[in-house]
Amino acid sequence: MELSQGAVLSLPLFLLNDSLYARDMNEPDLLLEVTLDEELLAHLCQNPSAEQSVSLQLSTYELRPQAQPLLSCEHQAMLILSRGPLLAAVLECSDGQSYVSPQLEMMPTFDLGDDDE
């Protein structure tokens, strides 16, 4: 996954319940979309140690319905960065339901201007 400022990060979300292990990963319940800004990118450039993870609370994001109607409850989303680096998302609803994304391998890339020569 390539990350750059202004890019939209789109992560599939699945309802966290007993049938999660049997779900088709190509048919998420929701998509979490967040536009990457300078501050969020700075946090995503970390590679935590094996014993750590970094939680990043999202203040601005959008949900896109997939298999079900858009949520009617209040919700909050966060990105979780763990050793790898691996990136996942969690969406918690005020009604007690949670949605999770699979962990995705990611490596931030940077344009160092070497192609200008």
Side-chain angles (χ1 to χ4, degrees), residues 9-88:
L9 179 63
S10 183
L11 296 166
L13 294 173
F14 298 88
L15 180 61
L16 182 59
N17 60 22
D18 293 338
S19 67
L20 180 62
Y21 72 94
R23 296 286 310 270
D24 180 354
M25 292 294 118
N26 293 319
E27 295 183 23
D29 296 313
L30 299 166
L31 285 178
L32 173 75
E33 293 183 347
V34 59
T35 302
L36 299 175
D37 61 20
E38 187 175 344
E39 181 180 346
L40 188 53
L41 273 175
H43 289 294
L44 291 177
C45 289
Q46 302 176 64
N47 191 7
S49 69
E51 301 82 33
Q52 288 184 312
S53 64
V54 176
S55 297
L56 306 169
Q57 194 74 30
L58 297 175
S59 57
T60 305
Y61 60 90
E62 290 189 39
L63 294 176
R64 303 277 185 232
Q66 295 294 335
Q68 64 184 30
L70 197 56
L71 300 175
S72 58
C73 62
E74 289 187 35
H75 45 78
Q76 61 182 24
M78 71 179 79
L79 298 178
I80 300 174
L81 187 62
S82 57
R83 182 74 181 169
L86 299 172
L87 182 66

